[in-house]
Amino acid sequence: MHDLTPFFETAIYPLFDLTGEEKEILLAEAKIQHLESNSYVIRENSKADSLLFLQKGVVRSFYVKDHREINTEFFFEHDFFTALTSYLTGEKTSLNFQCLEASEIIVLPKILTDNLLKDPKWHQFMNQILTKEFIKKCRRESSFLLQDSYERYLYFLEQFPHSETRIPLFHIASYLGMSPETLSRIRSKKIKQIDLSQVNRI
């Protein structure tokens, strides 16, 4: 069995209490992975058969196109993540997930979560994860449509405080859809406050 206390306290207890049986099932079936920096959590052309909880570290997701990596998302402590479309459909994913730091990840096999979802209260748990993911994707899309590159960078800092000390700048540039040189010029400008409401309303 593993010590899942941090996971229980941050991800489950704010929603509901666990029964003794549920706690025993999670302790028996959930796994903890300790991965070094640059290790892959999920690779393209594989099936995502687990929901993952990042207990420690930073993970990025990215596509590879024409031998170029395109970052799509970053995940930090207490974030859930997986190749969601693959997880829901059983199809192979085109995404890669890679650790940017030494990371500790709790692995919840899909067969485990499917079993827990037989109890309606666990739908609250899953709905919270799906809702957060949906909002993140909508706001990312709207930022590309409504903001210029400088505003996207400031919005990124708003979303991910202190990320620049943990994520290489070339990865941030890829996520923002710009070259590292463009990001370097933007960062040299004086930071000013911008109105984020047009994105946050989406």
Side-chain angles (χ1 to χ4, degrees):
M1 289 189 181
H2 313 290
D3 180 14
L4 299 183
T5 302
F7 168 66
F8 292 155
E9 291 180 346
T10 58
I12 296 180
Y13 289 155
L15 298 176
F16 50 77
D17 291 328
L18 289 170
T19 66
E21 182 182 3
E22 289 168 335
K23 192 169 184 178
E24 288 300 316
I25 290 172
L26 284 164
L27 288 170
E29 300 297 331
K31 311 251 186 286
I32 297 181
Q33 288 185 342
H34 298 273
L35 298 173
E36 296 299 319
S37 179
N38 296 321
S39 298
Y40 280 80
V41 189
I42 300 173
R43 286 186 178 270
E44 61 183 312
N45 295 319
S46 65
K47 294 181 181 180
D49 57 2
S50 297
L51 182 63
L52 307 168
F53 179 79
L54 187 55
Q55 196 147 266
K56 177 184 176 184
V58 181
V59 170
R60 69 172 178 132
S61 60
F62 66 96
Y63 292 105
V64 177
K65 182 178 181 182
D66 299 328
H67 306 290
R68 185 167 63 95
E69 296 178 357
I70 304 170
N71 290 319
T72 61
E73 195 57 80
F74 298 109
F75 304 91
F76 296 85
E77 284 83 2
H78 303 162
D79 280 341
F80 284 96
F81 69 97
T82 190
L84 192 56
T85 300
S86 174
Y87 179 81
L88 294 174
T89 66
E91 299 171 353
K92 291 182 178 180
T93 184
S94 299
L95 280 167
N96 297 277
F97 290 76
Q98 183 185 37
C99 299
L100 295 179
E101 295 178 352
S103 299
E104 182 177 287
I105 297 170
I106 294 178
V107 181
L108 304 172
K110 192 172 188 298
I111 191 170
L112 167 62
T113 54
D114 286 348
N115 186 48
L116 291 170
L117 284 167
K118 293 175 183 177
D119 185 332
K121 76 177 183 182
W122 281 91
H123 287 274
Q124 183 182 2
F125 168 80
M126 188 60 70
N127 284 342
Q128 180 170 279
I129 295 170
L130 295 176
T131 297
K132 182 178 179 181
E133 184 69 13
F134 178 74
I135 291 172
K136 282 170 62 177
K137 288 187 179 297
C138 286
R139 287 181 172 171
R140 175 163 164 73
E141 179 182 285
S142 63
S143 72
F144 274 88
L145 294 172
L146 299 173
Q147 296 178 327
D148 61 27
S149 57
Y150 181 71
E151 291 171 327
R152 287 202 307 277
Y153 170 64
L154 296 187
Y155 185 56
F156 173 84
L157 296 181
E158 178 84 6
Q159 288 180 295
F160 304 117
H162 313 301
S163 59
E164 288 186 306
T165 63
R166 303 182 70 184
I167 301 174
L169 290 179
F170 69 92
H171 280 320
I172 296 175
S174 170
Y175 175 81
L176 295 174
M178 62 184 72
S179 68
E181 293 76 16
T182 298
L183 178 58
S184 180
R185 287 195 296 271
I186 288 172
R187 293 179 71 244
S188 69
K189 293 181 180 180
K190 182 179 179 181
I191 298 297
K192 64 181 180 180
Q193 186 64 39
I194 64 169
D195 180 13
L196 300 175
S197 61
Q198 61 179 345
V199 171
N200 287 334
R201 284 198 302 267
I202 299 300

